[in-house]
Amino acid sequence: MRVAVVGATGYTGLELMKILVAHPKVEVAVVTSETYKGQDFSQVFPAFRGIFQKTLQGLEPKTLASEVELAFLCLPHGSSMKVLPALLDAGLKVIDLSGDFRFNDPKVYEKWYHMRHEAPEFLECAVLGFPELFRSAIAQARLLANPGCYVTSVVLALAPILKAQWIHPSPIFADCKSGVTGGGRKPSQRFHYPECNESFSPYSIGQHRHQPEMEEALGAFTSIRPQILFSPHLVPMNRGIISTVYTKVREEKAQALSLEEVYELYTSFYASCPFVRVLLLGEMPNTHNVRGSNFCDIGLVWNSRTGTLVVISALDNLVKGASGQAVQNMNLMAGFPETTGLLRPAEVV
């Protein structure tokens, strides 16, 4: 399959290139960048010398149809919706890694992203890219809305227990920590080394745009609209997310609940999901064991004294939280085995 990576020089675009150039079923035929247009990709990223050489182009949506079958959009929020109509009209399949098509209702998008949606007619046809939840729909999709990194970590932590209706859907507390690459490659003061090194800081508590995305995805899957209080934190590491999610078990269920029963629920739910690893009882996830991989590790804690089930998930924000999951979705859309090009262990050293 011939593909294009639109916006190939940001963090998600770069991570996508690392995966795609080694993918046995894919040829990266077009790479675009407005910043580095005219330069060779390996000139911008010397690590690709001898592996991938191709000139970075400016984006011309109407010409892509003759060169590729599928386009990955690694563009800033608000930019994808400007180019998507032309790509779909040209017959391409599209995987969008921005937040532009994650909501069905344009008013919800406009409330949280603070901009008018310019292609609302495409929102209802977009499929949310959670392979573990919407595998059949993804296989038929022409427009795929790839989830955000925080959203993936929280949704995978909550989906089994919310679907089983063992917990109260409100309030759910999601306490999440992310590495600095989650803020993107564009320089800003908050991500400047002296500002974030040796510092651990919360931000946008209860106001982050990923919060309604979590609720939207879980509502679409379970028909239960949870209310989540999302508390993101910036951690002085390059990559990785760990989410600790606190849920209150329903009183009638809590009386006889055991951790073994919770473990059985999660292992059964994710039995056919190759990239979700439910850890053995007593084990806790950490970012070290998922760094550079497409795995999400999940750990479970049941506190009977407070009636609280704590679910901890860890993933790499650039891989399972973005580009790896995008390739996983591409595999499903193209009819390839879901794990193609993605079965690699974490970078533990």
Side-chain angles (χ1 to χ4, degrees):
M1 172 181 274
R2 289 168 60 86
V3 305
V5 179
V6 178
T9 57
Y11 284 139
T12 56
L14 175 60
E15 196 68 33
L16 193 55
M17 291 296 297
K18 288 167 61 179
I19 299 169
L20 291 176
V21 296
H23 195 291
K25 303 283 189 180
V26 165
E27 176 190 351
V28 181
V30 177
V31 284
T32 83
S33 171
E34 297 305 314
T35 303
Y36 298 100
K37 181 169 54 177
Q39 298 185 50
D40 192 273
F41 186 81
S42 64
Q43 181 183 357
V44 180
F45 297 108
F48 282 78
R49 287 175 180 162
I51 300 172
F52 181 84
Q53 287 83 38
K54 194 172 287 290
T55 301
L56 289 155
Q57 306 176 15
L59 174 59
E60 297 179 9
K62 293 183 180 180
T63 65
L64 281 185
S66 62
E67 301 183 67
V68 302
E69 302 164 65
L70 181 146
F72 294 92
L73 302 185
C74 304
L75 298 172
H77 305 303
S79 297
S80 291
M81 58 185 168
K82 292 179 171 64
V83 302
L84 177 99
L87 297 177
L88 289 181
D89 288 346
L92 295 182
K93 293 183 177 182
V94 177
I95 296 177
D96 179 33
L97 283 82
S98 81
D100 286 2
F101 295 94
R102 294 173 185 163
F103 295 109
N104 282 332
D105 187 345
K107 293 181 181 178
V108 177
Y109 175 88
E110 290 163 5
K111 174 183 176 181
W112 290 91
Y113 280 82
H114 310 295
M115 65 180 77
R116 185 177 66 85
H117 203 290
E118 297 183 25
E121 66 273 22
F122 293 97
L123 291 175
E124 288 191 3
C125 69
V127 175
L128 286 173
F130 292 92
E132 295 77 14
L133 308 186
F134 306 117
R135 185 175 280 109
S136 297
I138 291 169
Q140 304 299 318
R142 287 192 61 223
L143 170 57
L144 194 289
N146 210 63
C149 48
Y150 277 129
V151 181
T152 300
S153 69
V154 173
V155 167
L156 293 180
L158 283 172
I161 200 74
L162 191 65
K163 182 74 170 178
Q165 299 186 34
W166 287 5
I167 61 171
H168 293 284
S170 177
I172 295 171
F173 300 97
D175 183 37
C176 308
K177 287 87 175 173
S178 174
V180 180
T181 52
R185 194 165 180 237
K186 185 177 180 180
S188 70
Q189 182 175 339
R190 183 154 63 100
F191 302 119
H192 187 43
Y193 181 81
E195 300 290 335
C196 64
N197 184 47
E198 298 185 17
S199 177
F200 181 30
S201 56
Y203 62 99
S204 301
I205 293 179
Q207 302 174 31
H208 198 289
R209 58 198 177 198
H210 278 345
Q211 180 173 293
E213 291 174 14
M214 297 168 186
E215 297 171 353
E216 176 107 351
L218 288 165
F221 176 66
T222 66
S223 299
I224 301 169
R225 185 75 179 209
Q227 288 186 311
I228 299 172
L229 178 58
F230 171 44
S231 301
H233 298 73
L234 186 67
V235 180
M237 60 184 185
N238 286 345
R239 57 203 296 165
I241 281 180
I242 194 153
S243 295
T244 305
V245 184
Y246 300 88
T247 71
K248 192 75 171 179
V249 176
R250 296 182 184 274
E251 290 75 6
E252 63 275 14
K253 185 65 183 178
Q255 293 175 5
L257 186 65
S258 67
L259 186 56
E260 288 75 15
E261 187 179 2
V262 179
Y263 178 77
E264 175 62 28
L265 173 68
Y266 273 76
T267 53
S268 296
F269 186 92
Y270 287 122
S272 62
C273 301
F275 293 110
V276 178
R277 304 186 294 201
V278 182
L279 304 186
L280 296 175
L281 297 181
E283 285 190 281
M284 288 292 103
N286 63 62
T287 58
H288 181 73
N289 288 333
V290 294
R291 178 185 170 89
S293 82
N294 197 51
F295 290 101
C296 174
D297 286 355
I298 293 178
L300 304 164
V301 176
W302 164 233
N303 188 295
S304 58
R305 184 178 68 86
T306 62
T308 304
L309 175 66
V310 184
V311 186
I312 305 97
S313 66
L315 53 77
D316 187 310
N317 58 295
L318 294 178
V319 189
K320 183 58 174 169
S323 303
Q325 185 149 254
V327 173
Q328 190 179 351
N329 286 315
M330 179 206 71
N331 286 339
L332 291 170
M333 294 166 71
F336 304 147
E338 188 173 335
T339 57
T340 306
L342 292 169
L343 279 177
R344 61 185 188 187
E347 300 168 1
V348 294
V349 177

